[in-house]
Amino acid sequence: MSWSYDRATDYLDAAREMSDSGRHTLARLLAEEAADRTPDPNEAARILAEFPGQSLRQES
């Protein structure tokens, strides 16, 4: 199966799937990407609230 991640909803769907399968760290990272791709700051905050935890990104 081929996956395409072009939209915030793609990342959010994947985050929910990872969360449901117990992969909470990966779910948080995917949720952060979904939030980054969401133009509405209130919706981005709601996405991150659905997947609590601190960011684990390592950005330079």
Side-chain angles (χ1 to χ4, degrees):
M1 174 181 268
S2 175
W3 292 93
S4 174
Y5 293 92
D6 299 325
R7 301 167 297 160
T9 56
D10 297 327
Y11 287 92
L12 189 53
D13 289 344
R16 289 183 177 131
E17 187 176 327
M18 292 301 107
S19 182
D20 290 346
S21 67
R23 297 178 177 124
H24 302 289
T25 300
L26 183 52
R28 174 62 190 200
L29 290 169
L30 288 163
E32 288 175 9
E33 188 62 34
D36 285 350
R37 292 170 180 261
T38 301
D40 178 1
N42 292 323
E43 180 65 12
R46 187 201 62 76
I47 290 170
L48 293 177
E50 186 178 340
F51 301 90
Q54 294 184 348
S55 176
L56 299 173
R57 290 181 171 180
Q58 296 180 358
E59 298 181 28
S60 50

